Amino acid sequence: MTGPTAVLPFLAAGWVLLAALYGMVTSRNLIHAVGCLAVAQSSTYLLLLGIGYRRGATAPVYADVPPGSRPVVDPVVQAMTLTDIVVGATVTALLLALTIQLRKRHGTVDPQALTGLKG
């Protein structure tokens, strides 16, 4: 991939990351902050898929043709993206569970109101 479209996935990933970081910084609700973190995580999917993309390439399945006879996308990047999705979903679920427990114990999910937490 060459030309101005070569940088488009990277610009999209950067824009999504900046939007998510802005949401995290300005958030007054922990649930909103967790959602913004999930959006920031999705920018890494765009970045990884942009790195592994090859114009005109197909899926790396060699059942019908011998290896090397056609261009294929990088399967390692696809595996890393899938792993990133699983880790992101797990982290989001854990943070939401912690936020629920925080709400039960302290009655709020506002980070400013939680400054007096004691061990």
Side-chain angles (χ1 to χ4, degrees), residues 30-109:
L30 289 177
I31 294 174
H32 182 259
V34 170
C36 289
L37 182 65
V39 171
Q41 182 79 21
S42 70
S43 72
T44 62
Y45 313 153
L46 287 172
L47 182 66
L48 286 170
L49 292 175
I51 290 170
Y53 178 77
R54 289 179 59 188
R55 185 179 302 277
T58 61
V61 179
Y62 298 109
D64 55 345
V65 293
S69 63
R70 65 177 182 206
V72 295
V73 296
D74 190 1
V76 174
V77 176
Q78 292 178 358
M80 288 173 57
T81 304
L82 184 60
T83 304
D84 195 15
I85 291 169
V86 172
V87 169
T90 305
V91 167
T92 301
L94 176 66
L95 289 174
L96 287 174
L98 289 173
T99 303
I100 290 170
Q101 291 301 315
L102 193 67
R103 170 75 167 105
K104 284 180 182 177
R105 290 182 186 212
H106 299 283
T108 185
V109 290

